Amino acid sequence: APGWTAQGGTLVGSSSDGNLTMAEWTEELPADYRIEVTLRPRNVTDATWVGLVVGLGDDGVIDALGVHGTGQVAAQRYVKEFEILLDLPNASAESLRELRLAVDVSGGVATYLVDGKRAGSLDLGESDLRGRVGVICSAGTVEFRDAVLLHR
């Protein structure tokens, strides 16, 4: 995908113009799954936004566990612009150096985990959470590594 390079077991996303760049797993997932990834910022400003995407389908809607360069963490949905669905506890400057994100999907409910701690959950419905998963980056350069995708 444009804006992405693989370096060993690490995927690096880069967007200097503020446009979204996304890398996705191409397989369709079952109704219940868990996706995890560790992100490490390389070049981040307050305008940077990175996320772990779930339920990506052909409708163009993006549901994500997103992290802003300011440390704001939120469950977000993109249709023509981003909308915050649920504010989650902010990440500290210390934890922004390396952050483990996970989304556990079961029965249409997405549970968001940050550094192994449950941060919140939303009932988004099974149809919105089916599809593909991926990682996304805007206005910065971020490493994504140690990705785990579990089918349940």
Side-chain angles (χ1 to χ4, degrees):
W4 294 91
T5 57
Q7 300 173 356
T10 301
L11 190 60
V12 179
S14 186
S15 167
S16 59
D17 54 11
N19 287 331
L20 294 175
T21 182
M22 184 167 37
E24 63 186 76
W25 281 256
T26 56
E27 67 182 291
E28 292 290 325
L29 297 172
D32 297 342
Y33 61 89
R34 180 182 177 116
I35 177 74
E36 298 182 29
V37 70
T38 298
L39 65 89
R40 179 181 292 158
R42 281 191 182 177
N43 178 19
V44 173
T45 68
D46 285 355
T48 302
W49 183 82
V50 297
L52 185 55
V53 176
V54 295
L56 186 62
D58 296 329
D59 59 3
V61 175
I62 297 171
D63 283 305
L65 170 54
V67 180
H68 292 263
T70 60
Q72 179 189 20
V73 181
Q76 297 178 270
R77 174 169 286 165
Y78 177 84
V79 179
K80 290 186 179 166
E81 59 186 34
F82 277 100
E83 166 192 5
I84 294 177
L85 301 177
L86 179 66
D87 268 319
L88 301 170
N90 287 352
S92 66
E94 175 82 14
S95 67
L96 275 179
R97 294 189 187 124
E98 184 169 288
L99 200 58
R100 184 78 176 166
L101 301 179
V103 180
D104 191 71
V105 174
S106 181
V109 175
T111 300
Y112 306 100
L113 298 104
V114 179
D115 280 340
K117 295 179 185 152
R118 185 182 184 279
S121 63
L122 281 174
D123 187 342
L124 296 174
E126 286 189 22
S127 62
D128 283 344
L129 292 170
R130 283 192 189 258
R132 299 175 304 278
V133 295
V135 288
I136 195 165
C137 177
S138 175
T141 302
V142 180
E143 294 179 11
F144 295 91
R145 62 180 175 76
D146 303 324
V148 176
L149 177 58
L150 302 172
H151 296 226
R152 301 197 185 211

